[in-house]
Amino acid sequence: MLPLTQRLKEVLLRDNLVSASDMEHALKEQKAHGGELSNVLLKLKLVSEDQLSLALSEALHIPIINLSLLKVDSEILKLIPRTLAETYQLIPIAAIGDQMTMVMADPLNVFAIDNVRATTGMSVNVVMARPQDIKMAISRFYTEDTKASLNEILKDIKEAEDLELVKEATGRMDKKEIENITQEAPIITLTNTIIQQAITARASDVFIEPLEGSLRIRYRVDGLIREIDRMAKMLHFPVVSRLKVISNLDIAEHRLPQDGRFRVSDPRGNEVDFRVSVLPTALGEKVVLRILDKNLEMLDIDKLGFEADSLARLKESCQKPHGMILACGPAGSGKTTTLYAILKHIDSPGKNIITVEDPVEFQIKNFTQVNIRTEVGLTFPSALRSILRQDPDIILIGEIRDADTLDIAVKAALTGHLVVSSLHTTTAAGSITRLINMGVEPFLICSSVIAIVAQRLIRRVCTKCRQSYTLPKEGIKQFRVDQLMPEHNMVFYKPKGCDKCFNTGYQGRVGITEILILTAKVRELILARASELEIKTCAREQGMKTMRQDAVLKACRGLTSLEEVVRLTIAD
């Protein structure tokens, strides 16, 4: 039998639903960005949901049913919570013994089917229906009695009698016993709920933390951590074990830190990667999940929020044949995204691009990517020495952590390679001092470094609930708005809070940056070992906008609030 992609392709081409050129375009997109062909076709708007449903039905030999003609018993609906049904666009319609028949819009979503099997303990037979029919059916069939929010699911799971078995869970359990606990339906449901709720909330990190008498769940959303729930301490062991299982970690190891990864699909069918860090603490193992957004559209340098003049300065620096471009800032400030956007901007078929990272966060077509593995001796310095023998044109170093890595990076920049990397410093001018402190001579900095980008991520004010006000004269003077944007009407926005932004007043983030170009005058100051303040003053005289100025400009355009400007930046 032909693979599904080939069968689906043949059906669509045979029925003239997609032209040969459009299909070729869709296959290229799929190869470049991953995902199912069906999702790619919908994203490119090459077929409608109805057309795709009919084609999938024929390709998979799964019948399409008309849900409007069905009546579903309320007891059957209780098998699958409404939240799960809405997340994966599915609905149970029949159950006999341990067999359940379920209607799905996407029968290829294996993660959803596995979740349902674990939740119900039943075997699943799948039939299809059109997506809009399933949405209407969920609204029609699920009454308020069966509707359950994510928080209600967590509450039900916390009170589940099935979890009494983990009260006595200790290190005496062997791997098989631990695996049995992680396969319990309540544990799978709880873990999946935490994961899916984090995706829905657009969190960047999930913190699963053991406390003295409870288990605390917190999310980092738009850079700030907020507590989501506290539950019984007895849930800590099975939840952590379940996360270890899906991350391919050692479930019997509780003394040493472990790192892993896993991948799930969000409600729209997009793949989401999670990076897992397990850390033993005095109260038990703490788990932090880093959610890696694989939306490659974010890697467009024109969509990162750079001001026009700053973007022009950065693009000009990227076109240099050799040298070093550094991105600096604290963890989570978007440095990696900026570095990849630079590579995507200058990528061409005639360039050999190699990255060395710990770990690889974005898998990009046409890039050679090396994942650091210190446990086997593959460190940044050793990897870089080998990479230089691969005749690269451009090298991305995930992070410069030590003098050895920095020494090799500087030498690579001096010998005809374009090197882009990140550095943990707070300002662009401060990076010069940091490089000197790490042992690089000033004359080598002047010869190798092209530009330094310092950045932060500032929260966007919610466009639905934001409130406008006129900035008084004191504020105009404090933020120097009249100097930065003389024609501005002095109308700014402050947060209020609504359902759309989870009552925070903010939704999403945008970058604020300062770009230090090593001009002739800046190089003279570096050779003279001038202070950070002197270098910054000179750079400002030559056109550099500071992060405070960049943030104020974002506030002038209604993207953020002046409260955020004060919180994240220091007055010049």
Side-chain angles (χ1 to χ4, degrees):
M1 183 177 289
L2 292 172
L4 171 63
T5 300
Q6 185 62 30
R7 281 182 279 155
L8 179 60
K9 175 183 172 183
E10 288 185 357
V11 171
L12 292 170
L13 291 174
R14 183 200 66 198
D15 295 343
N16 295 319
L17 297 175
V18 177
S19 67
S21 59
D22 285 343
M23 179 60 71
E24 184 178 353
H25 175 49
L27 291 171
K28 286 181 179 178
E29 283 291 309
Q30 182 192 28
K31 187 175 180 181
H33 302 127
E36 296 292 343
L37 178 60
S38 55
N39 290 332
V40 174
L41 290 166
L42 286 175
K43 183 179 179 181
L44 296 176
K45 298 181 179 180
L46 297 177
V47 294
S48 66
E49 288 186 337
D50 282 353
Q51 291 172 329
L52 184 61
S53 295
L54 292 170
L56 275 171
S57 173
E58 182 175 347
L60 292 172
H61 306 292
I62 296 177
I64 291 181
I65 64 171
N66 187 349
L67 284 173
S68 63
L69 303 177
L70 288 181
K71 290 184 178 181
V72 182
D73 192 290
S74 60
E75 292 301 313
I76 293 175
L77 292 172
K78 290 179 181 178
L79 293 171
I80 298 178
R82 177 171 182 154
T83 306
L84 192 64
E86 290 178 331
T87 299
Y88 296 115
Q89 288 300 289
L90 53 83
I91 192 167
I93 58 172
I96 301 176
D98 64 348
Q99 298 284 325
M100 180 177 66
T101 301
M102 181 173 69
V103 182
M104 298 182 69
D106 181 9
L108 299 177
N109 193 332
V110 179
F111 187 80
I113 295 172
D114 180 58
N115 199 333
V116 170
R117 284 174 181 156
T119 302
T120 62
M122 304 175 73
S123 298
V124 177
N125 299 313
V126 177
V127 294
M128 288 183 61
R130 292 177 173 84
Q132 62 268 29
D133 290 346
I134 292 180
K135 290 177 184 176
M136 292 176 62
I138 291 173
S139 299
R140 180 162 55 95
F141 290 145
Y142 279 92
T143 64
E144 289 301 315
D145 293 333
T146 60
K147 183 177 180 179
S149 67
L150 291 174
N151 289 332
E152 289 170 341
I153 292 174
L154 289 170
K155 181 179 178 181
D156 292 341
I157 293 169
K158 285 188 290 183
E159 297 172 351
E161 294 181 359
D162 294 350
L163 293 177
E164 291 296 317
L165 61 93
V166 303
K167 281 185 175 179
E168 303 300 324
T170 68
R172 296 190 300 270
M173 301 178 69
D174 60 28
K175 285 190 176 183
K176 186 63 179 177
E177 290 173 313
I178 298 174
E179 286 176 359
N180 289 339
I181 289 178
T182 65
Q183 297 304 318
E184 291 290 324
I187 295 302
I188 292 177
T189 305
L190 172 56
T191 308
N192 290 342
T193 300
I194 293 171
I195 291 170
Q196 291 296 335
Q197 189 180 35
I199 296 173
T200 301
R202 296 183 299 277
S204 60
D205 300 271
V206 179
F207 301 87
I208 301 170
E209 304 163 306
L211 303 180
E212 190 68 41
S214 62
L215 175 64
R216 180 171 65 178
I217 309 296
R218 296 192 295 170
Y219 295 162
R220 186 187 294 277
V221 180
D222 294 336
L224 296 182
I225 297 177
R226 64 170 181 254
E227 185 171 319
I228 301 301
D229 196 15
R230 291 198 186 202
M231 54 191 69
K233 182 66 177 284
M234 70 176 188
L235 288 164
H236 170 255
F237 181 80
V239 168
V240 171
S241 298
R242 175 62 184 170
L243 288 169
K244 286 182 179 180
V245 167
I246 63 179
S247 307
N248 293 317
L249 300 179
D250 185 353
I251 57 177
E253 177 57 70
H254 309 291
R255 301 163 300 173
L256 299 173
Q258 296 189 72
D259 296 303
R261 296 173 79 112
F262 66 89
R263 179 179 296 173
V264 300
S265 296
D266 68 9
R268 294 171 295 178
N270 299 320
E271 290 184 340
V272 181
D273 275 359
F274 283 75
R275 195 167 71 207
V276 183
S277 174
V278 182
L279 179 69
T281 72
L283 297 175
E285 291 175 295
K286 175 178 177 177
V287 179
V288 177
L289 310 179
R290 167 61 60 89
I291 303 175
L292 303 175
D293 192 339
K294 299 191 71 177
N295 180 11
L296 298 183
E297 292 180 1
M298 290 175 56
L299 303 184
D300 187 341
I301 198 170
D302 294 312
K303 297 179 180 179
L304 293 184
F306 287 100
E307 294 297 318
D309 54 346
S310 297
L311 181 60
R313 289 158 66 90
L314 181 59
K315 284 184 175 181
E316 183 181 354
S317 300
C318 294
Q319 300 304 321
K320 303 290 184 182
H322 56 81
M324 185 186 300
I325 299 174
L326 296 173
C328 63
S333 60
K335 299 187 298 296
T336 302
T337 300
T338 297
L339 295 179
Y340 268 102
I342 290 173
L343 293 191
K344 291 286 287 183
H345 176 68
I346 59 180
D347 182 28
S348 71
K351 292 180 179 176
N352 180 17
I353 299 177
I354 303 179
T355 78
V356 52
E357 304 165 75
D358 183 21
V360 172
E361 293 196 11
F362 296 95
Q363 294 182 348
I364 310 293
K365 181 183 177 183
N366 298 329
F367 290 7
T368 301
Q369 297 176 276
V370 179
N371 211 344
I372 291 301
R373 296 181 61 192
T374 53
E375 69 274 12
V376 296
L378 184 58
T379 61
F380 276 109
S382 63
L384 284 170
R385 291 186 186 97
S386 297
I387 285 171
L388 290 173
R389 292 192 287 269
Q390 294 278 317
D391 190 27
D393 298 298
I394 303 165
I395 303 170
L396 182 148
I397 304 171
E399 181 184 346
I400 294 178
R401 299 175 179 173
D402 51 58
D404 286 343
T405 304
L406 178 57
D407 180 62
I408 298 171
V410 169
K411 289 177 180 176
L414 291 171
T415 55
H417 306 88
L418 182 63
V419 179
V420 296
S421 185
S422 67
L423 196 65
H424 280 291
T425 53
T426 55
T427 64
S431 299
I432 300 296
T433 305
R434 172 68 173 149
L435 292 174
I436 293 174
N437 290 340
M438 291 179 72
V440 183
E441 292 293 335
F443 74 91
L444 289 176
I445 295 175
C446 294
S447 301
S448 59
V449 178
I450 303 170
I452 302 173
V453 182
Q455 63 185 81
R456 300 287 187 281
L457 292 176
I458 196 167
R459 292 188 294 172
R460 290 178 180 266
V461 68
C462 177
T463 55
K464 181 180 178 182
C465 64
R466 65 183 185 179
Q467 295 180 323
S468 62
Y469 68 97
T470 302
L471 189 66
K473 291 182 178 180
E474 296 80 7
I476 296 172
K477 183 178 179 181
Q478 177 186 353
F479 294 102
R480 303 175 185 173
V481 180
D482 51 343
Q483 299 175 26
L484 286 172
M485 195 176 282
E487 304 301 323
H488 193 257
N489 58 11
M490 300 305 159
V491 173
F492 288 81
Y493 295 91
K494 59 184 178 181
K496 180 183 178 183
C498 64
D499 294 338
K500 182 182 178 183
C501 61
F502 301 97
N503 292 314
T504 63
Y506 297 94
Q507 188 176 42
R509 290 188 290 177
V510 64
I512 55 173
T513 60
E514 61 183 29
I515 302 178
L516 172 63
I517 304 296
L518 268 68
T519 61
K521 288 187 177 181
V522 171
R523 289 192 174 98
E524 287 177 8
L525 290 175
I526 294 172
L527 288 172
R529 295 181 180 267
S531 67
E532 177 183 340
L533 179 59
E534 291 175 305
I535 295 173
K536 181 177 180 179
T537 302
C538 177
R540 289 184 63 180
E541 291 172 353
Q542 297 197 310
M544 182 185 83
K545 281 190 174 69
T546 64
M547 271 191 284
R548 166 58 72 99
Q549 292 174 320
D550 195 55
V552 171
L553 286 172
K554 297 292 191 299
C556 290
R557 295 191 173 91
L559 296 177
T560 190
S561 66
L562 289 175
E563 290 87 348
E564 274 291 284
V565 173
V566 173
R567 184 180 72 87
L568 273 183
T569 63
I570 299 173
D572 299 321

